Amino acid sequence: MDKEKLVNEAKAVFSREDVACLIGYGKDSIGFRVSPIFIRTRDEADQLFFSPLCSLSLVNYLTLEKGVLLEGNKETGGEKIAIVARGCDSRALIQLFAERGIPREQVVILGVPCRGTIDLKKIEGKFPDARNCTEVTEAEGMYYIRFDNESHEVPKEELLADHCKHCAFPNPLVYDVLLEDLVDSKGAAYSDIEEMEKMALEERHEYWKDKFARCLRCYACRNACPLCYCDDCILERVSPQWVNRSVNLSENLMFHLARSYHLAGRCAGCGECERVCPVNLPLMLLNRKLEKDIKNIFEYTAGSNLDDKPLFASFNPKDPNDFIF
Amino acid sequence: MLKKFDPNIMAFLCNWCSYAGADLTGTSHFHYPPNLKAIRVMCTGRINPLMVAAAFRHGADGVLISGCHPGECHYMEGNYLARRKIFVFRNLLEFVGINPERLQMSWVSASEGKKFSNVVKEITEKIKKLGPLTTFDE
Amino acid sequence: MEHFLLEKNRLNEFLSALRNYEVFAPVRKVGLTVFELITNPKEAMLDLKNQPQSPKRVIFPQSEILLVFDKNNAAKEPKGRVGQKPQVVFGVRPCDARGFHMLDPVFEREYPDPYYLQKRQSTLLVGFHCSEPYPNCFCTSVGGNPSSPEGLDILLTDLGEQYFLEVITSKGEQVAKEGAAVLSSPTSQQQTEKEKLSGMAPQKIRRTIDTEGIASKIEKHFDHSLWRELSGKCISCGICTYTCPTCHCFDIQDERVRGRANRLRIWDSCMFPEYTLHASGHNPRPTRTERLKNRMYHKFKQNIDLYGVPGCVGCGRCITLCPENVDLVANLKVIKNL
Ligand code: FES
């Protein structure tokens, strides 16, 4: 994306709106890494950038520590928070607005149509010694990558983050400023889920056992998720203690049942849970399985429409009933 | 010799219909297997699927959720909401390799004592066939 | 101590010879290298990279049952709490071995901890010279070295076709004896080759920070507003603490499962708000700022005060695995330059 356009629009937002903080992407000093940055004055906006390396979602910062983004701007007394949002982020935002996690009026959205992002683990695995990446661009199915004194061309498929492969909403669905022309989108694809559904029950159980046994219960998947923002999380409850603290297969399964179910009809598909997992659990499989079923049965897609009621706060008398005595 | 499997079945019954229905089963002397352990909740809409997971975790081989017939919920729509939640949760259970048949749901009104006893019989048979739930043994 | 030579293709034989030990080695699981008890030496993967977890958990497991009890029975220790056989942990990186050195005083002094100490005493560490450090390794800045034998019982160095095997401790000597059949003695050429490699290793570390005086800086600027900025992107997950070879905070809880109850010890993480939450509801470390500061304070101030060394071995895991790129080295530099 054109950096100049991004910076100018960000500055314009500061001049036009009552913004206390703008959350955007900044280049990190090491390798291919990109960090969330918090811009508090117009001039700082020069640090902003966007590239296919921007695989992390910024939406969770809106709800992370209430009020922290608004502080420190006593002079201007800004009331709003601006955020750079891709398609999936906009879905998360819509969901947040619908659940009243944060009021729509408080957020200024700089929408970025997204062509898919690069999985950091994949690119770091391919170029482990890269020190300073200066540019990554995309054209016709190829990534053009420059770092240190090298330049490389890599087919997009090779580096694309898995959840981006299945993305049906690359364009922001809600925004105040649109930073680029909209891109083509394709329908959601669930072929991998369907493959798994064909497995025998026991086989699937073995598959997940192997995965959940690895879980460290670091709760990074929860904390990175833009939609896990309860003040009082059941995982921290002691009475009742829904999930015991022991780290073993049973409790890990309890945790993952709770986590994925809690995102049923809410998951925005940003893939943060999978991206942050230090032990590579394929958590998006769970989320997308539910997304698929909910879409097919209830014709509901989370975060796709500002006027939708949350899935579990609504019903249809014709909902499936044949599993009930 | 293998000990006969006596399943542990947890039931969440809504206060206004199914709990009363279960009561009627008793007062009318309809029999049902003693494997069922009933917990009264105000409405099926109050049931958080995590309660089901916790039941499994703590030793249930099967779970029954029973409430008023659609359209008859004391709180108007609690059972409709419950139906959605349980439907999705069953799919999730199946996807992680737990047989969704272990989680059953029924509509039993306060006057359906006979139906309740039949439901319990049928579910107990089902769970017996499935055998003990070993997923949470560790 | 003694030096030997082990042909690479006889490594499996060497491992098989350790019949009297339970062998833990890196194995490949779900695309990761993790330390596990192996029954077949072929499972072992000598990959020093891509280990998200240190072997800390072999001796100090993430959750460990201390007592079991139920309604009718008095509490007793679970069966087989301490391994019947001594253990060998194979394929340890020198930084991780140093990690155990950092854990020892914590569990030894003041209140000796039998659970840790028994296992520690019966566990032997076989390390590998780290010839290809990670991009985020900074062990040389905190007193370590990619070829350091510190904390290890045996150190192997890769010479291409063979491993150069150095016995460091008497425990290590015992293991070398058991595997003596497959060991030979090195030539003086191989000895020089090994020394050359050790000499080269530190230069491969690309991240450095001078930690001199960092403790007093942290102390002095404890209330500086910069901490708030440093913690801005932290999401308060437990990755840095759970993957750290020296983090050792734990909690003790009683848990009820199906009529039984366990008293267990589980890792805790100072990154969780729950960690310092009082029963009253008050939390002395309410935000990410205090928590992130605490972790740095603990490692680079408190640990130095208590044990004379920073509580960090520079393995770089917390940097590499942090989902939001909170960078310990960069943060230390910021504090240092205040
Ligand atoms: S009261 Fe019976 S289901 Fe709501």
Side-chain angles (χ1 to χ4, degrees):
Chain A
M1 178 197 286
D2 186 10
K3 176 175 162 111
E4 214 174 308
K5 169 117 201 239
L6 171 65
V7 170
N8 288 341
E9 288 292 352
K11 288 186 174 172
V13 163
F14 268 100
S15 320
R16 189 173 60 232
E17 312 248 11
D18 186 19
V19 170
C21 180
L22 184 147
I23 320 172
Y25 298 97
K27 235 189 77 46
D28 212 323
S29 49
I30 302 287
F32 298 105
R33 298 200 166 212
V34 170
S35 279
I37 53 171
F38 305 91
I39 309 282
R40 295 191 185 266
T41 62
R42 201 172 171 272
D43 296 337
E44 285 172 5
D46 288 315
Q47 302 164 30
L48 287 168
F49 101 118
F50 190 89
S51 87
L53 290 173
C54 297
S55 58
L56 44 90
S57 170
L58 306 170
V59 181
N60 61 334
Y61 290 106
L62 287 179
T63 50
L64 197 55
E65 245 165 41
K66 295 237 161 71
V68 69
L69 294 176
L70 298 176
E71 78 188 21
N73 218 25
K74 302 262 156 45
E75 311 88 66
T76 60
E79 287 286 315
K80 294 186 181 179
I81 301 165
I83 188 167
V84 177
R86 306 157 300 168
C88 48
D89 301 331
S90 76
R91 283 180 70 195
L93 286 167
I94 290 179
Q95 194 61 33
L96 273 179
F97 299 147
E99 297 170 3
R100 308 207 179 103
I102 190 165
R104 172 69 183 96
E105 310 75 66
Q106 211 194 340
V107 187
V108 181
I109 304 167
L110 288 94
V112 186
C114 171
R115 292 189 169 77
T117 59
I118 292 178
D119 185 334
L120 186 72
K121 285 172 192 155
K122 289 183 186 167
I123 195 168
E124 283 189 344
K126 194 161 172 73
F127 305 112
D129 295 321
R131 300 307 288 158
N132 182 19
C133 169
T134 44
E135 194 179 10
V136 177
T137 51
E138 186 208 322
E140 280 143 40
M142 295 294 264
Y143 284 127
Y144 298 89
I145 303 165
R146 283 165 187 276
F147 56 85
D148 306 332
N149 291 318
E150 303 175 30
S151 56
H152 293 265
E153 288 174 29
V154 185
K156 187 173 171 182
E157 277 304 293
E158 214 177 296
L159 299 180
L160 193 65
D162 289 343
H163 64 272
C164 294
K165 290 183 184 161
H166 310 293
C167 176
F169 295 93
N171 293 312
L173 301 176
V174 54
Y175 51 81
D176 298 293
V177 182
L178 188 65
L179 292 170
E180 257 185 349
D181 294 336
L182 297 179
V183 298
D184 292 338
S185 58
K186 50 186 177 14
Y190 297 107
S191 54
D192 50 340
I193 308 282
E194 279 151 13
E195 274 315 302
M196 279 195 73
E197 284 169 345
K198 282 186 209 137
M199 288 157 80
L201 200 66
E202 291 72 37
E203 211 183 325
R204 238 183 353 254
H205 185 220
E206 286 306 312
Y207 174 88
W208 285 113
K209 235 166 101 173
D210 207 33
K211 304 289 181 288
F212 291 150
R214 301 269 140 254
C215 176
L216 287 179
R217 299 267 290 281
C218 66
Y219 299 148
C221 47
R222 173 194 66 173
N223 291 13
C225 177
L227 289 159
C228 273
Y229 62 96
C230 296
D231 281 343
D232 186 8
C233 175
I234 53 131
L235 298 170
E236 265 130 38
R237 277 290 183 86
V238 188
S239 166
Q241 189 154 351
W242 290 105
V243 180
N244 281 342
R245 301 301 189 267
S246 296
V247 179
N248 59 31
L249 201 52
S250 305
E251 301 302 340
N252 292 359
L253 177 58
M254 278 294 285
F255 162 50
H256 286 287
L257 281 175
R259 192 202 66 84
S260 50
Y261 180 76
H262 203 161
L263 287 163
R266 303 176 64 240
C267 172
C270 67
E272 279 293 273
C273 46
E274 215 168 81
R275 180 185 72 81
V276 302
C277 181
V279 291
N280 299 351
L281 301 186
L283 299 173
M284 280 304 283
L285 281 179
L286 293 168
N287 296 354
R288 285 175 48 246
K289 154 74 181 167
L290 296 183
E291 182 184 86
K292 163 182 156 289
D293 289 357
I294 288 165
K295 188 170 163 213
N296 291 346
I297 307 284
F298 304 114
E299 290 166 4
Y300 179 94
T301 303
S304 61
N305 189 343
L306 268 169
D307 303 320
D308 275 356
K309 256 184 135 189
L311 176 80
F312 288 144
S314 50
F315 66 90
N316 182 338
K318 292 200 201 69
D319 281 346
N321 195 60
D322 48 12
F323 66 101
I324 300 174
F325 279 102
Chain B
M1 214 180 68
L2 223 66
K3 236 178 77 199
K4 206 174 115 258
F5 170 50
D6 219 6
N8 225 331
I9 301 173
M10 201 77 181
F12 296 99
L13 311 177
C14 93
N15 179 55
W16 303 101
C17 289
S18 294
Y19 197 83
D23 234 5
L24 186 65
T25 316
T27 47
S28 334
H29 293 278
F30 296 131
H31 290 269
Y32 66 78
N35 304 60
L36 195 88
K37 287 158 185 117
I39 291 180
R40 175 160 61 163
V41 292
M42 286 314 282
C43 171
T44 51
R46 182 257 175 272
I47 292 159
N48 177 346
L50 216 58
M51 292 155 80
V52 177
F56 286 141
R57 168 73 185 106
H58 288 281
D61 302 298
V63 172
L64 166 67
I65 290 170
S66 191
C68 319
H69 284 269
E72 291 171 15
C73 169
H74 188 77
Y75 307 97
M76 319 309 277
E77 49 196 47
N79 52 2
Y80 282 126
L81 296 171
R83 185 168 66 179
R84 271 201 166 180
K85 289 194 277 186
I86 299 306
F87 178 85
V88 173
F89 192 64
R90 279 174 56 121
N91 287 8
L92 177 60
L93 287 179
E94 183 170 25
F95 198 64
V96 298
I98 298 172
N99 197 324
E101 293 293 306
R102 291 187 186 276
L103 172 53
Q104 296 286 352
M105 210 170 167
S106 67
W107 304 137
V108 172
S109 76
S111 61
E112 292 177 322
K114 184 76 199 155
K115 180 172 177 186
F116 187 77
S117 98
N118 288 341
V119 165
V120 178
K121 273 183 206 152
E122 213 166 306
I123 286 171
T124 311
E125 273 321 300
K126 263 196 184 158
I127 306 294
K128 269 190 183 159
K129 272 207 201 88
L130 291 176
L133 176 68
T134 53
T135 313
F136 291 98
D137 275 0
E138 192 196 316
Chain C
M1 284 257 176
E2 270 177 293
H3 294 167
F4 297 97
L5 207 61
L6 171 61
E7 292 293 330
K8 269 190 178 172
N9 54 17
R10 304 193 73 181
L11 178 67
N12 284 352
E13 285 173 65
F14 180 75
L15 287 178
S16 313
L18 307 180
R19 244 165 264 112
N20 299 326
Y21 295 88
E22 283 184 335
V23 181
F24 287 81
V27 295
R28 199 82 181 154
K29 282 270 169 81
V30 210
L32 304 166
T33 309
V34 290
F35 283 88
E36 272 190 4
L37 186 62
I38 56 164
T39 43
N40 180 351
K42 287 202 186 91
E43 291 170 53
M45 273 247 340
L46 292 177
D47 165 24
L48 298 191
K49 289 211 168 186
N50 209 355
Q51 293 177 0
Q53 294 166 54
S54 80
K56 170 176 86 175
R57 56 174 53 234
V58 173
I59 294 178
F60 177 39
Q62 184 163 11
S63 54
E64 182 172 23
I65 298 180
L66 309 179
L67 288 176
V68 289
F69 49 99
D70 59 34
K71 260 190 283 186
N72 311 317
N73 295 301
K76 53 174 182 280
E77 288 196 19
K79 276 197 228 69
R81 182 169 63 70
V82 180
Q84 265 69 34
K85 285 181 176 181
Q87 304 173 328
V88 170
V89 188
F90 196 80
V92 179
R93 280 169 30 175
C95 54
D96 289 338
R98 266 191 93 221
F100 287 112
H101 249 1
M102 312 263 165
L103 296 176
D104 288 344
V106 177
F107 291 106
E108 234 161 45
R109 297 204 194 157
E110 223 175 340
Y111 302 101
D113 180 284
Y115 307 99
Y116 175 88
L117 290 175
Q118 280 171 10
K119 253 185 272 156
R120 177 78 170 104
Q121 270 144 20
S122 64
T123 304
L124 219 124
L125 303 174
V126 179
F128 264 77
H129 167 149
C130 186
S131 55
E132 279 176 64
Y134 278 118
N136 285 322
C137 287
F138 61 101
C139 58
T140 46
S141 300
V142 284
N145 187 315
S147 58
S148 150
E150 202 184 335
L152 290 168
D153 298 289
I154 287 182
L155 174 65
L156 301 183
T157 308
D158 193 337
L159 296 183
E161 295 299 304
Q162 304 93 359
Y163 293 118
F164 189 93
L165 186 151
E166 281 167 89
V167 176
I168 317 286
T169 62
S170 50
K171 272 203 262 176
E173 207 168 348
Q174 188 58 36
V175 167
K177 245 183 229 155
E178 306 223 7
V182 291
L183 299 178
S184 54
S185 8
T187 63
S188 62
Q189 217 180 344
Q190 282 158 334
Q191 175 85 35
T192 3
E193 168 76 8
K194 190 254 145 186
E195 263 141 39
K196 204 177 109 210
L197 285 172
S198 310
M200 267 157 53
Q203 286 143 34
K204 293 199 178 159
I205 301 284
R206 288 177 300 186
R207 302 206 65 181
T208 51
I209 159 124
D210 179 10
T211 49
E212 185 64 35
I214 197 88
S216 55
K217 283 274 177 147
I218 294 182
E219 174 88 282
K220 186 162 159 227
H221 299 292
F222 195 76
D223 294 316
H224 203 286
S225 60
L226 246 170
W227 293 104
R228 196 131 194 97
E229 266 164 59
L230 294 183
S231 63
K233 53 188 178 176
C234 172
I235 56 169
S236 234
C237 73
I239 291 183
C240 49
T241 51
Y242 284 178
T243 58
C244 175
T246 69
C247 272
H248 49 256
C249 288
F250 61 80
D251 191 9
I252 294 193
Q253 293 226 349
D254 288 349
E255 282 182 359
R256 181 188 49 85
V257 190
R258 306 183 175 186
R260 280 181 293 111
N262 298 325
R263 171 156 303 170
L264 59 113
R265 151 149 106 189
I266 23 173
W267 292 357
D268 204 346
S269 167
C270 57
M271 292 292 132
F272 297 155
E274 199 191 2
Y275 180 85
T276 41
L277 184 65
H278 292 182
S280 68
H282 171 67
N283 196 338
R285 288 188 208 135
T287 70
R288 297 166 291 157
T289 306
E290 291 87 18
R291 300 197 280 271
L292 183 118
K293 178 161 65 180
N294 168 69
R295 183 159 189 268
M296 284 170 70
Y297 183 90
H298 187 185
K299 295 213 179 296
F300 292 93
K301 163 83 176 88
Q302 209 172 16
N303 216 78
I304 297 178
D305 291 351
L306 287 170
Y307 310 119
V309 282
C312 168
V313 292
C315 72
R317 284 189 183 89
C318 60
I319 305 175
T320 306
L321 293 167
C322 178
E324 313 291 342
N325 309 331
V326 176
D327 186 328
L328 181 63
V329 173
N331 286 356
L332 282 171
K333 284 189 180 155
V334 171
I335 301 298
K336 175 99 196 204
N337 292 334
L338 275 179

